Amino acid sequence: MIRTGVNCEVMKIRSCAGIAKSSFLLAHSELPALTFHKPKLTWTSTLNIPSNCESKFGLVTRVHCFVANRTYSSTSVSPSRSKRNNVRLGQKQGKSSSLYSRPSLAEMKNDRIAIRAKVYEFLRGLGIIPDELDGLELPVTVEVMKERIDFLHKLGLTIEDINNYPLVLGCSVKKNMIPVLDYLGKLGVRKSTFTEFLRRYPQVLHASVVVDLAPVVKYLQGLDIKPNDVPRVLERYPEVLGFKLEGTMSTSVAYLVGIGVARREIGGVLTRYPEILGMRVGRVIKPFVDYLQGLGIPRLAVARMIEKKPHILGFGLEERVKPNVESLVEFNVRKTSLPSIVAQYPEIVGIDLKPKLHGQRSLLQSIIDMGHEDFGTVVEKMPQVVSLSNTSVVKHVDFLKDCGFSLQQVRTMVVGCPQVLALNLDIMKLSFDYFQMQMQRPLDDLVAFPAFFTYGLESTIKPRDKIVAKKGFKCSLSWLLNCSDEKFKDRMNYDSIEMEEMETVPSFDMNSLMEPRSDESDSEYEDDSDDE
């Protein structure tokens, strides 16, 4: 051990070599770090290290220098170890081409910006506006984006469709689109409807089959919508796949049952008009029901109307229903007749009514000289008259004229029984021929009871006429036909007809809507929203 004195500082130098074997013994001693009289330089070195070990393991020398309570260190490394360290240091500090290098966050961000710019340029070249895609994760290459657009084109979607919902470009073909479409296809949704399906509800491509779609389908089946009908429901109203199970769907169904819609009819109602599932009770359904009740239609009758024609709930109350009711009154329909008009023909409050009323009144006025008051009566008795085509009306009027009725008689018949403007002409001809050839009655009998044409020739007219003729009775057409079969049998037990029982022309009975329904609802899918 060598000690060397140095003025104003004490320096300690320790040298050691990496030793692989435990048989080597190191011994070292040192003075205190700071001396006050004669600071000295202290060397500490390993003892008896063979040269071959030094060259093999390398020699490390540390120098600690203490000056005024500050420590400075220096390390000397053997040439072989220094060379290896320099290589490693070069690898860490080298360029990005190094095997161990990673791009910085700034470089990664710049790369993403450059890729997105290329994708945007590609989309703009196709006519797609990418402004809404800024926060959306997009494909890393233009080729992947092109694959998505090509797939959407195969489904029938156009560039305009994509611009209407550009977020669809964030859906992966393999991870999103194909699984969803496969699921819909397995349910029974027809491929021919996929295009319209996606135009109406493109958000379905973001959905998870297990988490989002399957639970809704199961819920629909729980509402008594048959599995075979579920595909048609989805085709008609794909938006239902985005509803929460315990939200609007459950409350709308509960309200309908509450007002009297039969629980066993719910499946059929929703199958024919699934849009009900998206209607809010407080904003749509309840105000509509309350308004019809206010017109004079009993609540249970409203429920029966919904069972038969559920699409009436889709008529806008403020935009269509109320203005149409006001138009009826304007065209000389009595307010007391409004309930029966709406109950008979609910569609009358949902169509563009005023132009139809004006057109039909003008037509009847021109061909049979019908006045405004009479037109109001015609609408009260047969509200469907507003939807008859001009051609049909003219043909029926011409038929009656050809039968020998005068213009005034035709007008009287139309006002008394507007149905003569809508019946099957071939059947009317057969009935009239029987009336003339077999019954041999005067035309005035038909003028007095034009409803004769509404009865079945083989089922009612012929059998009853033969029985009366056999009895030798003389009666009006009304007494002969305007009664039930049971009532007719009772009449045939009379010895004679001393005073004819006059009955009014059959009219709509509101109570018929509220009678208990014995027939099973139709389980087959029907689309009756366009029925006239």
Side-chain angles (χ1 to χ4, degrees):
M1 181 175 296
I2 303 174
R3 295 180 180 177
T4 306
V6 179
N7 292 333
C8 300
E9 65 180 4
V10 175
M11 181 175 295
K12 178 177 64 178
I13 299 176
R14 179 185 301 158
S15 64
C16 65
I19 301 173
K21 297 182 180 179
S22 59
S23 58
F24 287 99
L25 177 63
L26 293 179
H28 108 264
S29 62
E30 58 184 28
L31 291 178
L34 181 64
T35 59
F36 295 96
H37 300 287
K38 291 183 179 181
K40 297 180 180 180
L41 177 65
T42 304
W43 294 87
T44 303
S45 60
T46 54
L47 301 178
N48 300 324
I49 300 176
S51 60
N52 61 342
C53 292
E54 180 177 347
S55 61
K56 182 176 181 180
F57 299 109
L59 179 64
V60 179
T61 304
R62 293 192 181 93
V63 178
H64 297 276
C65 180
F66 301 89
V67 178
N69 291 330
R70 298 181 182 179
T71 303
Y72 301 90
S73 300
S74 63
T75 302
S76 62
V77 186
S78 66
S80 61
R81 175 63 59 88
S82 177
K83 182 177 181 180
R84 287 194 298 269
N85 289 343
N86 287 338
V87 171
R88 292 177 183 174
L89 184 60
Q91 290 172 344
K92 293 182 180 180
Q93 296 179 351
K95 298 181 181 179
S96 60
S97 60
S98 171
L99 179 62
Y100 298 95
S101 64
R102 295 181 180 178
S104 65
L105 293 178
E107 291 173 337
M108 294 169 61
K109 181 178 180 181
N110 291 335
D111 289 343
R112 287 196 299 268
I113 293 174
I115 292 173
R116 182 173 288 267
K118 292 180 180 179
V119 172
Y120 278 15
E121 182 181 359
F122 169 73
L123 294 177
R124 290 191 181 97
L126 297 177
I128 298 174
I129 304 172
D131 296 349
E132 297 183 27
L133 304 178
D134 288 345
L136 189 68
E137 182 178 352
L138 295 180
V140 295
T141 64
V142 170
E143 288 73 17
V144 176
M145 177 60 76
K146 183 178 184 301
E147 177 189 4
R148 293 185 183 182
I149 294 175
D150 290 344
F151 189 81
L152 293 174
H153 283 333
K154 291 179 181 178
L155 295 174
L157 299 183
T158 64
I159 296 298
E160 182 180 359
D161 296 328
I162 296 175
N163 277 328
N164 289 335
Y165 188 71
L167 297 182
V168 73
L169 297 176
C171 297
S172 168
V173 172
K174 295 181 180 179
K175 296 181 180 179
N176 301 111
M177 300 184 191
I178 291 179
V180 167
L181 296 176
D182 282 349
Y183 177 73
L184 295 176
K186 290 177 181 178
L187 284 178
V189 177
R190 294 168 294 181
K191 290 184 179 181
S192 60
T193 66
F194 277 177
T195 301
E196 187 60 27
F197 193 106
L198 295 176
R199 281 175 180 161
R200 290 187 56 181
Y201 189 58
Q203 295 90 335
V204 72
L205 294 178
H206 294 287
S208 163
V209 170
V210 175
V211 177
D212 302 317
L213 305 185
V216 174
V217 171
K218 184 177 180 181
Y219 183 80
L220 294 177
Q221 294 175 348
L223 295 174
D224 295 332
I225 298 177
K226 296 187 176 182
N228 291 339
D229 292 332
V230 169
R232 306 292 87 81
V233 170
L234 298 181
E235 289 175 3
R236 174 162 183 158
Y237 192 51
E239 293 88 343
V240 73
L241 290 172
F243 293 155
K244 295 181 179 179
L245 302 184
E246 300 304 324
T248 304
M249 291 196 292
S250 60
T251 55
S252 60
V253 171
Y255 179 80
L256 292 180
V257 173
I259 66 171
V261 175
R263 185 63 183 84
R264 63 188 178 88
E265 298 293 331
I266 288 294
V269 167
L270 297 178
T271 297
R272 294 193 299 276
Y273 195 68
E275 289 85 348
I276 291 174
L277 293 170
M279 293 180 176
R280 295 187 177 276
V281 171
R283 294 181 183 179
V284 180
I285 303 178
K286 186 177 184 301
F288 181 85
V289 173
D290 290 345
Y291 181 76
L292 294 187
Q293 284 188 262
L295 289 178
I297 305 175
R299 189 176 187 181
L300 186 56
V302 175
R304 294 292 180 266
M305 290 167 58
I306 293 173
E307 288 177 5
K308 294 180 179 180
K309 303 283 185 179
H311 62 273
I312 65 176
L313 290 173
F315 298 156
L317 181 59
E318 299 296 334
E319 302 82 5
R320 186 70 77 186
V321 177
K322 291 182 178 180
N324 281 359
V325 171
E326 293 172 359
S327 295
L328 289 171
V329 175
E330 180 183 342
F331 280 77
N332 302 103
V333 171
R334 295 171 298 177
K335 290 184 178 180
T336 54
S337 298
L338 291 175
S340 65
I341 289 175
V342 176
Q344 286 182 76
Y345 187 48
E347 286 82 358
I348 200 169
V349 295
I351 60 179
D352 189 7
L353 182 58
K354 195 166 186 176
K356 289 181 178 290
L357 287 169
H358 186 272
Q360 291 298 73
R361 187 175 69 178
S362 298
L363 176 64
L364 292 174
Q365 184 177 15
S366 65
I367 62 176
I368 58 175
D369 195 24
M370 179 177 287
H372 290 185
E373 293 294 333
D374 286 341
F375 179 73
T377 302
V378 168
V379 174
E380 290 177 5
K381 292 183 176 180
M382 193 185 79
Q384 293 88 343
V385 70
V386 300
S387 297
L388 294 179
S389 68
N390 291 356
T391 302
S392 175
V393 172
V394 171
K395 284 183 177 181
H396 283 76
V397 170
D398 289 342
F399 165 74
L400 294 175
K401 288 181 180 180
D402 293 340
C403 290
F405 297 102
S406 67
L407 184 63
Q408 182 178 353
Q409 287 176 322
V410 172
R411 181 171 65 249
T412 301
M413 295 174 71
V414 170
V415 174
C417 183
Q419 286 80 3
V420 297
L421 297 176
L423 298 172
N424 185 294
L425 280 175
D426 292 333
I427 295 177
M428 289 181 72
K429 290 176 181 178
L430 292 175
S431 296
F432 182 74
D433 290 342
Y434 182 83
F435 174 83
Q436 267 194 327
M437 304 297 293
Q438 301 298 324
M439 301 179 78
Q440 296 182 347
R441 288 172 175 260
L443 291 179
D444 286 342
D445 285 4
L446 285 177
V447 175
F449 191 70
F452 167 85
F453 290 105
T454 66
Y455 292 89
L457 178 60
E458 300 296 333
S459 63
T460 306
I461 297 175
K462 283 185 178 182
R464 291 190 183 187
D465 177 58
K466 290 179 180 179
I467 294 174
V468 169
K470 187 175 181 180
K471 283 275 188 179
F473 290 165
K474 296 291 182 180
C475 63
S476 68
L477 291 176
S478 177
W479 190 89
L480 177 68
L481 299 173
N482 189 20
C483 63
S484 65
D485 289 339
E486 290 75 17
K487 181 67 173 177
F488 180 75
K489 288 179 181 180
D490 290 341
R491 287 178 177 179
M492 290 303 99
N493 292 326
Y494 298 166
D495 293 333
S496 62
I497 303 175
E498 295 180 357
M499 182 179 291
E500 189 167 350
E501 300 178 27
M502 298 301 295
E503 297 190 15
T504 59
V505 175
S507 59
F508 177 77
D509 183 8
M510 184 72 70
N511 292 326
S512 64
L513 274 179
M514 296 180 284
E515 294 176 354
R517 298 186 60 179
S518 58
D519 59 319
E520 295 294 331
S521 65
D522 191 358
S523 63
E524 296 299 324
Y525 178 81
E526 294 179 359
D527 186 355
D528 59 0
S529 61
D530 295 326
D531 288 353
E532 291 289 338

